[in-house]
Amino acid sequence: MQGRGAKGKANQVERNRLRKKTANSSEDWQSSRNNSAGQNFRYVRPSEPFLTRYLLGPHKNLSETQIYPVWTYSYLALLFPVFLATDYLRYKPVVLLQGLSLIVTWFMLLYAQGLRAVQFLEFFYGMGTATDIAYYSYIYSVVDINLYQKVTSYCRSATLVGYTVGSVSGQVLVSVAGWSLFSLNVISLTSISVAFGTAWFLPMPQKSLFFHHLSKALPGQGRAGQVGLSALSDTCLGLNISLPFLLQSLQKQKVDIVKVLKDLWRDFLQCYSSRTLLCWSVWWALSTCGYFQVINYAQGLWEMVLPSPSADIYNGAVEAASTLLSYTTYAFLPLTGAVAVVVVGHIKTSWAMWGEVALALFSFLIAAAVYVMDTVHNIWVCYASYVIFRIIYMMLITIAT
């Protein structure tokens, strides 16, 4: 009878724990969904399509070759430290750091003068872009695995809506309302500040991928532990302590930084001992690097082809079109019915055999689009090549993943 009573108590504790876990997961999901809607303000930056024009114009009177490399190398240098800090600090502090970095960037973009000051703000922009991984990692850490598909949809939707609204509003305000680029930067700063404010209400994750694990085994599991769990439950009642809270505390493991770094290094060596994975990773790194270079310096090329003081420019419309089409290609093609990637996803062929051929073909098309954009000095050809470049790149990433 005593054993049966202990077993009943253990089962009751387990049911309570599961109910609490389900409730917490639902609360975290609702909170994360609401805050992901708030976080799309990070991308509502109407001044970004006109950033080169702003920097080269009378507001700053600088050269892009003097400032953009600072962002590139800052981003590169911060990637790995940010990767470790994101996991160690459990995501949310790095999400806040990203918001703060972007606020500093746009505040200095409005009021800082001189080459050194603008280069300094490019460092903060590099920090803001390097910490972008924290938000996406955070979302997956606070929801149940069954909700990953919904989470991905919300994150992609937030990114898509934010970029598109920012680019379209910037183009309309410049071309129709005649607003100054300084005013667009004020709107961008306001939008980023709203996102930073909403980030404070994100729930703090209890675990992370490397540094903060929750052990899978619970105290009192199994026949031998049921009596111990019953005694633990009685003790908790006597001390007025919540048993689920105590179990969760017992589950947390002490962080061993040296051990985590050794495990990461061992996994690194094990993964890249595979020639196939090494080649794929090198290709991915080079393609991503090329993509960032093109989108970073495309506005400078457009300024050379058609200097903006002498004519109207449509950078915002082009960025909106390329963003909408490329992200639709990447994330929403099954819903929109776009033919290309639907075929890629459903064609019955051996991608192990033909995948490399497809990657080579699409890489050639990307190179052709960039070549045409650089050699044909017509602004409309440049715009069209840029849109094609981004669409093909997203198709390429779809195949690669």
Side-chain angles (χ1 to χ4, degrees):
M1 293 294 293
Q2 184 177 358
R4 186 177 300 174
K7 182 177 181 180
K9 288 184 178 180
N11 291 336
Q12 181 63 34
V13 169
E14 180 67 12
R15 286 194 295 270
N16 291 337
R17 186 184 70 84
L18 291 176
R19 280 198 296 267
K20 183 177 180 181
K21 180 180 178 181
T22 302
N24 290 340
S25 177
S26 177
E27 291 175 2
D28 288 340
W29 160 244
Q30 293 292 340
S31 178
S32 300
R33 185 179 64 176
N34 294 336
N35 282 282
S36 68
Q39 286 299 296
N40 70 356
F41 282 97
R42 294 183 304 156
Y43 303 106
V44 182
R45 304 194 287 252
S47 63
E48 206 160 41
F50 307 95
L51 185 59
T52 299
R53 178 181 178 180
Y54 179 77
L55 293 174
L56 302 183
H59 294 91
K60 302 297 179 184
N61 195 25
L62 298 171
S63 169
E64 60 177 337
T65 58
Q66 296 174 308
I67 51 178
Y68 283 165
V70 177
W71 168 79
T72 304
Y73 293 113
S74 300
Y75 177 76
L76 177 63
L78 291 170
L79 272 178
F80 186 69
V82 164
F83 168 73
L84 294 178
T86 297
D87 194 272
Y88 183 75
L89 298 174
R90 289 180 293 169
Y91 312 113
K92 182 178 176 178
V94 183
V95 172
L96 295 173
L97 175 63
Q98 181 195 35
L100 184 61
S101 299
L102 293 176
I103 288 175
V104 172
T105 298
W106 256 266
F107 184 84
M108 294 184 68
L109 198 60
L110 286 169
Y111 301 110
Q113 296 294 333
L115 175 61
R116 296 303 177 193
V118 176
Q119 288 178 335
F120 194 55
L121 79 82
E122 284 292 318
F123 169 78
F124 279 102
Y125 186 65
M127 182 180 297
T129 52
T131 51
D132 199 46
I133 187 178
Y135 176 69
Y136 293 101
S137 302
Y138 164 83
I139 288 295
Y140 292 110
S141 72
V142 296
V143 300
D144 190 79
I145 190 172
N146 297 324
L147 298 173
Y148 277 9
Q149 186 174 0
K150 287 185 178 180
V151 164
T152 302
S153 176
Y154 274 102
C155 289
R156 292 296 178 188
S157 298
T159 304
L160 173 67
V161 172
Y163 273 125
T164 305
V165 170
S167 299
V168 170
S169 61
Q171 186 66 61
V172 170
L173 291 174
V174 168
S175 300
V176 179
W179 283 33
S180 68
L181 299 184
F182 184 89
S183 301
L184 296 188
N185 281 304
V186 172
I187 298 176
S188 299
L189 177 60
T190 303
S191 178
I192 293 168
S193 300
V194 171
F196 178 68
T198 61
W200 285 95
F201 298 97
L202 292 170
M204 185 69 179
Q206 299 301 315
K207 64 182 185 300
S208 64
L209 184 60
F210 300 111
F211 289 101
H212 303 279
H213 294 287
L214 294 180
S215 61
K216 295 181 180 179
L218 286 171
Q221 284 185 336
R223 295 180 181 177
Q226 288 173 358
V227 177
L229 182 61
S230 175
L232 181 62
S233 177
D234 293 339
T235 303
C236 289
L237 290 174
L239 296 175
N240 197 25
I241 299 175
S242 170
L243 179 58
F245 173 79
L246 181 60
L247 292 178
Q248 186 179 23
S249 300
L250 290 173
Q251 283 179 274
K252 294 182 181 179
Q253 299 176 351
K254 184 179 180 180
V255 176
D256 188 343
I257 298 178
V258 176
K259 182 179 181 300
V260 171
L261 294 177
K262 287 181 178 179
D263 291 341
L264 285 173
W265 178 249
R266 185 180 64 251
D267 292 342
F268 174 82
L269 295 177
Q270 181 180 357
C271 289
Y272 291 103
S273 62
S274 169
R275 182 178 178 276
T276 302
L277 182 58
L278 179 62
C279 292
W280 181 85
S281 299
V282 170
W283 173 87
W284 186 284
L286 291 175
S287 64
T288 304
C289 177
Y291 175 76
F292 281 147
Q293 279 192 320
V294 171
I295 64 173
N296 203 32
Y297 291 98
Q299 292 184 33
L301 176 63
W302 299 341
E303 285 291 319
M304 292 175 59
V305 174
L306 185 67
S308 53
S310 62
D312 292 332
I313 59 175
Y314 299 94
N315 295 7
V318 173
E319 290 287 355
S322 62
T323 298
L324 183 62
L325 292 174
S326 61
Y327 274 94
T328 298
T329 300
Y330 181 70
F332 295 99
L333 286 173
L335 299 178
T336 59
V339 175
V341 178
V342 169
V343 173
V344 168
H346 293 85
I347 188 171
K348 294 183 178 180
T349 186
S350 174
W351 286 107
M353 179 183 301
W354 297 102
E356 293 182 1
V357 176
L359 292 179
L361 176 61
F362 280 106
S363 298
F364 174 78
L365 293 176
I366 282 180
V370 175
Y371 179 79
V372 170
M373 184 166 54
D374 180 58
T375 55
V376 180
H377 293 282
N378 181 286
I379 191 62
W380 297 108
V381 174
C382 289
Y383 283 159
S385 299
Y386 180 78
V387 173
I388 293 172
F389 162 78
R390 293 195 65 185
I391 292 174
I392 295 178
Y393 176 79
M394 288 301 172
M395 292 176 64
L396 197 60
I397 294 302
T398 304
I399 295 173
T401 53

